[in-house]
Amino acid sequence: MQILSSLSALLQSVPAGGRATLEAILESIRSLFAGDRETRRGVAFSVAVIALSAKMAKADGVVSQREIAAFQQILEIPPAELRNVFRLYDIAKGDVAGFEFYAARLQALCREENGDCEILTDVLDGLFHIAKADGLVHEHELAFLAEVAKHFGLTDREFARLSNRHILGPDNPYAVLGISPDAPREEARARYLTLARENHPDRLSARGVPDEFMFIANERMKAINEAYHAITSRDAA
Protein backbone atom coordinates (compact mmCIF):
# COMPACT_ATOMS: atom_id res chain seq x y z
CA MET A 1 0.00 0.00 0.00
CA GLN A 2 2.92 2.31 -0.69
CA ILE A 3 0.95 4.84 -2.76
CA LEU A 4 -1.91 5.37 -0.33
CA SER A 5 0.57 5.51 2.55
CA SER A 6 2.20 8.42 0.71
CA LEU A 7 -0.99 10.40 1.23
CA SER A 8 0.00 10.77 4.87
CA ALA A 9 3.11 12.72 3.87
CA LEU A 10 1.08 14.73 1.36
CA LEU A 11 -1.54 15.80 3.88
CA GLN A 12 1.02 16.74 6.50
CA SER A 13 1.56 19.86 4.42
CA VAL A 14 -2.13 20.78 4.94
CA PRO A 15 -2.68 22.41 8.35
CA ALA A 16 -5.42 20.74 10.40
CA GLY A 17 -8.47 22.97 10.26
CA GLY A 18 -6.78 25.20 7.73
CA ARG A 19 -8.09 26.11 4.33
CA ALA A 20 -6.66 23.59 1.92
CA THR A 21 -7.13 23.63 -1.84
CA LEU A 22 -6.64 21.13 -4.62
CA GLU A 23 -4.16 23.51 -6.23
CA ALA A 24 -1.99 23.47 -3.09
CA ILE A 25 -2.19 19.68 -2.95
CA LEU A 26 -1.08 19.40 -6.58
CA GLU A 27 1.89 21.64 -5.87
CA SER A 28 2.75 19.47 -2.87
CA ILE A 29 2.74 16.38 -5.11
CA ARG A 30 5.30 18.08 -7.34
CA SER A 31 7.62 19.05 -4.51
CA LEU A 32 7.29 16.05 -2.18
CA PHE A 33 7.85 13.43 -4.89
CA ALA A 34 10.06 15.39 -7.28
CA GLY A 35 12.72 12.69 -7.31
CA ASP A 36 10.40 9.70 -7.61
CA ARG A 37 8.44 9.76 -10.86
CA GLU A 38 6.64 6.47 -10.24
CA THR A 39 5.38 7.46 -6.81
CA ARG A 40 4.45 10.92 -8.08
CA ARG A 41 2.27 9.45 -10.84
CA GLY A 42 0.71 6.98 -8.44
CA VAL A 43 -0.12 9.65 -5.87
CA ALA A 44 -1.48 11.95 -8.60
CA PHE A 45 -3.71 9.10 -9.80
CA SER A 46 -4.92 8.44 -6.25
CA VAL A 47 -5.68 12.09 -5.63
CA ALA A 48 -7.46 12.33 -9.00
CA VAL A 49 -9.84 9.48 -8.18
CA ILE A 50 -10.51 10.82 -4.69
CA ALA A 51 -10.91 14.48 -5.65
CA LEU A 52 -12.98 13.95 -8.80
CA SER A 53 -15.19 11.45 -6.98
CA ALA A 54 -15.90 14.18 -4.45
CA LYS A 55 -16.63 16.72 -7.18
CA MET A 56 -18.92 14.22 -8.95
CA ALA A 57 -20.81 13.61 -5.71
CA LYS A 58 -21.26 17.35 -5.31
CA ALA A 59 -22.51 17.71 -8.90
CA ASP A 60 -24.98 14.86 -8.50
CA GLY A 61 -26.08 15.88 -5.02
CA VAL A 62 -26.43 12.29 -3.77
CA VAL A 63 -23.88 9.80 -2.44
CA SER A 64 -25.21 6.28 -1.98
CA GLN A 65 -23.69 3.57 0.18
CA ARG A 66 -23.07 1.55 -2.98
CA GLU A 67 -21.05 4.40 -4.45
CA ILE A 68 -18.98 4.63 -1.28
CA ALA A 69 -18.37 0.86 -1.48
CA ALA A 70 -17.33 1.18 -5.14
CA PHE A 71 -14.98 4.02 -4.21
CA GLN A 72 -13.33 1.78 -1.61
CA GLN A 73 -13.11 -1.09 -4.10
CA ILE A 74 -10.98 0.99 -6.43
CA LEU A 75 -8.71 2.39 -3.75
CA GLU A 76 -8.49 -0.69 -1.48
CA ILE A 77 -8.04 1.70 1.43
CA PRO A 78 -6.16 0.19 4.38
CA PRO A 79 -7.78 1.03 7.76
CA ALA A 80 -4.80 3.18 8.78
CA GLU A 81 -5.36 5.45 5.74
CA LEU A 82 -9.14 5.87 5.90
CA ARG A 83 -8.85 9.15 7.78
CA ASN A 84 -6.39 10.62 5.27
CA VAL A 85 -8.40 9.52 2.24
CA PHE A 86 -11.67 10.94 3.50
CA ARG A 87 -9.99 14.12 4.67
CA LEU A 88 -8.77 14.64 1.13
CA TYR A 89 -12.28 13.80 -0.13
CA ASP A 90 -13.76 16.52 2.11
CA ILE A 91 -11.10 19.03 1.02
CA ALA A 92 -11.97 18.41 -2.63
CA LYS A 93 -15.71 18.58 -2.02
CA GLY A 94 -15.40 21.88 -0.17
CA ASP A 95 -12.84 23.52 -2.46
CA VAL A 96 -14.28 26.50 -4.30
CA ALA A 97 -12.28 25.64 -7.42
CA GLY A 98 -14.36 23.73 -9.95
CA PHE A 99 -13.53 20.26 -11.22
CA GLU A 100 -12.63 21.83 -14.58
CA PHE A 101 -9.62 23.56 -13.03
CA TYR A 102 -8.39 20.41 -11.36
CA ALA A 103 -8.94 18.19 -14.43
CA ALA A 104 -7.03 20.66 -16.60
CA ARG A 105 -4.17 20.86 -14.11
CA LEU A 106 -3.97 17.10 -13.90
CA GLN A 107 -3.78 16.81 -17.67
CA ALA A 108 -1.05 19.45 -17.75
CA LEU A 109 0.90 17.57 -15.08
CA CYS A 110 0.63 14.41 -17.13
CA ARG A 111 1.84 16.07 -20.33
CA GLU A 112 4.78 17.68 -18.56
CA GLU A 113 6.16 14.28 -17.64
CA ASN A 114 6.15 12.33 -20.90
CA GLY A 115 3.03 13.26 -22.86
CA ASP A 116 1.51 9.82 -22.23
CA CYS A 117 -1.89 10.57 -20.73
CA GLU A 118 -3.54 7.17 -21.01
CA ILE A 119 -3.63 7.12 -17.23
CA LEU A 120 -6.38 9.76 -17.42
CA THR A 121 -8.62 7.22 -19.16
CA ASP A 122 -8.00 4.94 -16.19
CA VAL A 123 -9.19 7.72 -13.89
CA LEU A 124 -12.39 8.04 -15.93
CA ASP A 125 -12.88 4.28 -15.79
CA GLY A 126 -12.74 4.48 -12.02
CA LEU A 127 -15.22 7.36 -11.92
CA PHE A 128 -17.65 5.44 -14.14
CA HIS A 129 -17.36 2.43 -11.83
CA ILE A 130 -18.39 4.63 -8.90
CA ALA A 131 -21.16 6.42 -10.82
CA LYS A 132 -22.88 3.20 -11.94
CA ALA A 133 -22.62 1.48 -8.55
CA ASP A 134 -26.23 2.30 -7.66
CA GLY A 135 -27.55 0.70 -10.85
CA LEU A 136 -27.34 3.52 -13.37
CA VAL A 137 -25.30 6.55 -14.35
CA HIS A 138 -27.45 9.58 -13.62
CA GLU A 139 -27.80 12.43 -16.07
CA HIS A 140 -25.78 14.86 -13.96
CA GLU A 141 -23.04 12.27 -13.46
CA LEU A 142 -22.79 11.59 -17.19
CA ALA A 143 -22.60 15.32 -17.95
CA PHE A 144 -19.88 15.67 -15.31
CA LEU A 145 -17.88 12.78 -16.76
CA ALA A 146 -18.21 14.13 -20.29
CA GLU A 147 -16.79 17.48 -19.17
CA VAL A 148 -13.93 15.82 -17.31
CA ALA A 149 -13.15 13.81 -20.47
CA LYS A 150 -12.95 17.02 -22.51
CA HIS A 151 -10.52 18.59 -20.06
CA PHE A 152 -8.49 15.38 -20.12
CA GLY A 153 -8.22 15.74 -23.90
CA LEU A 154 -10.41 12.79 -24.94
CA THR A 155 -12.33 13.10 -28.20
CA ASP A 156 -16.10 12.65 -28.32
CA ARG A 157 -15.57 9.28 -29.98
CA GLU A 158 -13.16 8.10 -27.30
CA PHE A 159 -15.56 9.15 -24.55
CA ALA A 160 -18.47 7.43 -26.34
CA ARG A 161 -16.55 4.15 -26.42
CA LEU A 162 -15.78 4.44 -22.74
CA SER A 163 -19.32 5.35 -21.70
CA ASN A 164 -20.84 2.67 -23.95
CA ARG A 165 -18.79 -0.01 -22.24
CA HIS A 166 -20.06 1.04 -18.83
CA ILE A 167 -23.65 1.99 -19.69
CA LEU A 168 -24.58 -0.31 -22.60
CA GLY A 169 -22.14 -3.12 -21.89
CA PRO A 170 -24.36 -5.47 -19.87
CA ASP A 171 -27.02 -5.49 -22.61
CA ASN A 172 -24.93 -4.81 -25.71
CA PRO A 173 -21.64 -6.73 -25.96
CA TYR A 174 -21.00 -5.17 -29.39
CA ALA A 175 -20.81 -1.74 -27.74
CA VAL A 176 -18.14 -3.05 -25.38
CA LEU A 177 -15.95 -4.17 -28.29
CA GLY A 178 -16.87 -1.13 -30.37
CA ILE A 179 -18.13 -3.07 -33.37
CA SER A 180 -21.38 -3.26 -35.32
CA PRO A 181 -23.90 -6.02 -34.39
CA ASP A 182 -23.59 -7.33 -37.97
CA ALA A 183 -19.77 -7.46 -37.88
CA PRO A 184 -18.37 -10.82 -39.07
CA ARG A 185 -16.95 -13.19 -36.51
CA GLU A 186 -13.40 -12.59 -37.76
CA GLU A 187 -13.73 -8.86 -37.07
CA ALA A 188 -15.10 -9.53 -33.60
CA ARG A 189 -12.17 -11.81 -32.80
CA ALA A 190 -9.60 -9.34 -34.16
CA ARG A 191 -11.14 -6.52 -32.15
CA TYR A 192 -11.24 -8.67 -29.03
CA LEU A 193 -7.56 -9.59 -29.34
CA THR A 194 -6.61 -5.94 -29.83
CA LEU A 195 -8.57 -4.81 -26.78
CA ALA A 196 -7.25 -7.69 -24.68
CA ARG A 197 -3.70 -6.73 -25.57
CA GLU A 198 -4.23 -3.00 -24.95
CA ASN A 199 -6.06 -3.45 -21.65
CA HIS A 200 -4.09 -6.23 -20.01
CA PRO A 201 -3.33 -5.37 -16.36
CA ASP A 202 0.40 -5.66 -17.05
CA ARG A 203 0.13 -2.86 -19.62
CA LEU A 204 -1.77 -0.72 -17.12
CA SER A 205 0.98 -1.28 -14.58
CA ALA A 206 3.59 -0.30 -17.17
CA ARG A 207 1.80 3.05 -17.59
CA GLY A 208 2.54 3.82 -13.95
CA VAL A 209 -0.78 2.84 -12.35
CA PRO A 210 0.07 1.38 -8.92
CA ASP A 211 -0.87 -2.13 -7.84
CA GLU A 212 -3.59 -0.77 -5.56
CA PHE A 213 -5.65 0.14 -8.63
CA MET A 214 -5.46 -3.10 -10.55
CA PHE A 215 -9.15 -3.50 -9.76
CA ILE A 216 -9.87 -1.13 -12.65
CA ALA A 217 -7.82 -3.17 -15.11
CA ASN A 218 -9.38 -6.42 -13.96
CA GLU A 219 -12.92 -5.04 -14.30
CA ARG A 220 -12.12 -3.75 -17.77
CA MET A 221 -10.78 -7.11 -18.90
CA LYS A 222 -13.76 -8.87 -17.33
CA ALA A 223 -16.15 -6.72 -19.41
CA ILE A 224 -14.17 -7.37 -22.60
CA ASN A 225 -14.02 -11.13 -22.01
CA GLU A 226 -17.72 -11.36 -21.15
CA ALA A 227 -18.67 -9.35 -24.23
CA TYR A 228 -16.66 -11.56 -26.56
CA HIS A 229 -18.05 -14.71 -24.94
CA ALA A 230 -21.60 -13.38 -25.39
CA ILE A 231 -20.98 -12.62 -29.08
CA THR A 232 -19.42 -15.99 -29.86
CA SER A 233 -22.18 -17.78 -27.96
CA ARG A 234 -24.80 -16.03 -30.10
CA ASP A 235 -22.95 -16.98 -33.26
CA ALA A 236 -22.83 -20.62 -32.18
CA ALA A 237 -26.53 -20.71 -31.33
Side-chain angles (χ1 to χ4, degrees):
M1 296 294 176
Q2 177 185 1
I3 298 301
L4 284 177
S5 296
S6 298
L7 293 181
S8 300
L10 180 63
L11 288 173
Q12 283 178 3
S13 63
V14 181
R19 185 175 180 181
T21 65
L22 290 176
E23 182 177 12
I25 289 170
L26 273 177
E27 290 305 316
S28 294
I29 291 173
R30 288 175 183 272
S31 59
L32 285 173
F33 310 108
D36 187 345
R37 177 178 173 274
E38 183 177 350
T39 299
R40 184 171 66 248
R41 283 175 64 84
V43 172
F45 180 88
S46 307
V47 171
V49 173
I50 296 166
L52 291 173
S53 295
K55 292 295 189 183
M56 183 167 65
K58 189 172 182 179
D60 182 51
V62 178
V63 182
S64 71
Q65 286 300 313
R66 289 183 179 179
E67 287 175 330
I68 293 173
F71 174 79
Q72 292 179 302
Q73 274 182 319
I74 294 171
L75 294 175
E76 296 183 11
I77 308 169
E81 295 300 327
L82 275 171
R83 184 176 179 181
N84 287 324
V85 169
F86 284 101
R87 185 181 174 204
L88 180 54
Y89 185 93
D90 288 338
I91 288 171
K93 196 171 181 181
D95 191 3
V96 295
F99 71 88
E100 302 93 341
F101 168 82
Y102 182 69
R105 286 293 303 276
L106 189 64
Q107 198 235 23
L109 178 66
C110 171
R111 289 194 179 279
E112 284 174 17
E113 291 195 343
N114 60 6
D116 178 7
C117 290
E118 287 183 277
I119 193 172
L120 300 180
T121 302
D122 303 325
V123 172
L124 277 170
D125 253 331
L127 293 174
F128 261 109
H129 178 72
I130 294 167
K132 70 182 183 183
D134 54 5
L136 74 159
V137 178
H138 296 278
E139 181 181 350
H140 292 302
E141 290 173 322
L142 186 59
F144 171 87
L145 292 167
E147 284 299 314
V148 170
K150 286 182 182 178
H151 288 282
F152 278 177
L154 271 70
T155 65
D156 290 342
R157 185 177 182 182
E158 288 170 333
F159 178 72
R161 287 176 182 167
L162 184 64
S163 61
N164 284 344
R165 174 157 51 81
H166 286 281
I167 297 173
L168 303 179
D171 301 313
N172 187 343
Y174 298 96
V176 175
L177 298 189
I179 59 175
S180 169
D182 58 2
R185 185 166 184 167
E186 293 76 13
E187 181 181 341
R189 176 171 172 76
R191 180 62 177 161
Y192 165 72
L193 292 174
T194 297
L195 290 175
R197 182 174 60 253
E198 291 177 350
N199 293 284
H200 193 279
D202 287 348
R203 191 163 189 263
L204 192 68
S205 180
R207 292 208 300 269
V209 179
D211 291 343
E212 289 91 334
F213 306 104
M214 285 302 106
F215 177 85
I216 292 173
N218 291 331
E219 286 294 293
R220 186 183 297 160
M221 279 305 306
K222 180 181 175 182
I224 292 168
N225 287 330
E226 288 179 350
Y228 183 63
H229 177 73
I231 291 171
T232 53
S233 296
R234 290 179 186 180
D235 289 345

